Amino acid sequence: MDNAIEITGLRKEYKGFTLEDVTFAVPRGTIMGLIGPNGAGKTTIVKLIMNLIRRDAGEVRVFGRDNLRHEPEIKSRIGFVYDVPRFPEDLRLKTIASAVSAFYEGWDDSRFRDLLEEFRLSPRQVFKKLSHGLKMKFSLAIALAHGADLILMDEPTAGLDPVFRFELLTKLRALIQDERKTVLFSSHITSDLERVADYVTFIHQGRVVFSAAKDEILDTWGVIRAAGDGLRPEDIPGARGFRRTEHSLEVLTSDLAAARRSPLSGTVIDKASLEDIMFFIGKGNAHA
């Protein structure tokens, strides 16, 4: 499958944190969810793709081209939506759009006006007077108005109410009906990604835990629950994390099929959600 983004052996080191050997690809025409707890490295990856910070090692290719050697060409085809929209606070939306449009040959002013109308925004509104949700919608309108082939979104639904989140996710699903369009969407709100993502990459402590099709992940990972203390984590095939309470044991497995074939008496076996996976890998392996 043709890939919009290919990341290989990516490394970035800070004092107290290292993004280490990150490798994954985002197929063209899909939504990739980039998940992980706060501080896992999601924003660092997005910034490295945009070349806002310099990598220490590895390679980032966007549309098949190195993102350093072909930076202007690549950025002209990307729409970038920050977690906190950053535009001049005292300007009207039409003034901001007029300034931004000069950077994009593909800017379509008619498309931009249609998006404002769809998002119930007026070009005469002043940016600082918008709610957080409306600022995010304006950012998305800017990102889409120049026909971007890749939308990068860093925690776009954080702080939004459920109605705004649903509208944004619906817009993203509609966007990739054009199979040339691709979305990389970082978030710690896993329920949003279960709703819209085609693929999921999980980052934990600067490393990739997995990168695979969402449906494959949800069919492969599971949680085994047992009352009492008669079951040990090491008895579970593919155990990746556990939580023990006074009266029960819960174990995360990355091999649900093998767990179901095992003679595990007195257990309840369920599919794991993305939230389950993040919890057990991030905070499991402990007594509660």
Side-chain angles (χ1 to χ4, degrees), residues 132-134 136 155-165 168 189:
H132 177 63
L134 290 177
M136 293 302 299
E155 297 282 359
T157 58
L160 299 183
D161 67 44
V163 174
F164 274 133
R165 283 167 54 199
L168 177 59
I189 304 176

Side-chain angles (χ1 to χ4, degrees), residues 6 9 23 28 47 58 88-89 96 109 149 169 174 181 184 190 200 203 212 248 265 269 275 287:
E6 295 174 327
T23 298
R28 192 185 299 268
K47 287 182 176 179
E89 291 284 327
I96 296 171
D109 201 54
D149 294 314
L169 298 174
K181 308 295 186 185
L184 178 63
T190 55
V200 175
I203 305 293
S248 66
S265 61
I269 302 177
E275 184 174 5
H287 292 277

Side-chain angles (χ1 to χ4, degrees), residues 142-247:
I142 290 284
L144 296 179
H146 60 91
D149 294 314
L150 172 63
I151 305 296
L152 293 181
M153 312 184 79
D154 188 19
E155 297 282 359
T157 58
L160 299 183
D161 67 44
V163 174
F164 274 133
R165 283 167 54 199
F166 180 80
E167 290 181 356
L168 177 59
L169 298 174
T170 300
K171 187 67 179 176
L172 295 182
R173 284 286 356 153
L175 178 67
I176 64 163
Q177 297 307 307
D178 178 347
E179 295 182 356
R180 297 170 299 175
K181 308 295 186 185
T182 307
V183 178
L184 178 63
F185 175 178
S186 83
S187 182
H188 64 278
I189 304 176
T190 55
S191 59
D192 289 344
L193 296 177
E194 286 192 13
R195 183 176 298 133
V196 300
D198 301 295
Y199 293 84
V200 175
T201 296
F202 178 21
I203 305 293
H204 179 60
Q205 295 180 348
R207 292 178 176 270
V208 175
V209 178
F210 56 68
S211 185
K214 178 193 67 181
D215 291 344
E216 176 186 334
I217 295 162
L218 297 179
D219 287 341
T220 303
W221 292 68
V223 177
I224 291 85
R225 297 176 174 87
D229 56 4
L231 188 67
R232 302 170 301 169
E234 54 266 33
D235 296 330
I236 307 298
R240 297 293 298 271
F242 70 92
R243 176 175 63 175
R244 189 183 294 280
T245 68
E246 184 178 355
H247 302 293

Side-chain angles (χ1 to χ4, degrees), residues 85 121 125-138 160-161 164:
L121 290 165
Q125 287 177 283
V126 176
F127 183 74
K128 69 179 180 182
K129 294 184 178 180
L130 301 180
S131 67
H132 177 63
L134 290 177
K135 287 179 178 179
M136 293 302 299
K137 287 187 173 183
F138 176 68
L160 299 183
D161 67 44
F164 274 133

Side-chain angles (χ1 to χ4, degrees), residues 230-286:
L231 188 67
R232 302 170 301 169
E234 54 266 33
D235 296 330
I236 307 298
R240 297 293 298 271
F242 70 92
R243 176 175 63 175
R244 189 183 294 280
T245 68
E246 184 178 355
H247 302 293
S248 66
L249 173 71
E250 297 180 335
V251 181
L252 176 72
T253 176
S254 59
D255 194 343
L256 181 60
R260 283 175 168 161
R261 291 193 301 267
S262 298
L264 303 172
S265 61
T267 62
V268 176
I269 302 177
D270 295 313
K271 290 184 177 182
S273 65
L274 294 177
E275 184 174 5
D276 289 329
I277 296 170
M278 277 185 56
F279 171 78
F280 280 100
I281 289 180
K283 297 183 178 180
N285 301 346

Side-chain angles (χ1 to χ4, degrees), residues 70-83:
H70 302 275
E71 183 174 8
E73 174 191 344
I74 287 171
K75 284 188 173 179
S76 71
R77 298 174 62 188
I78 293 177
F80 191 14
V81 179
Y82 291 90
D83 57 340

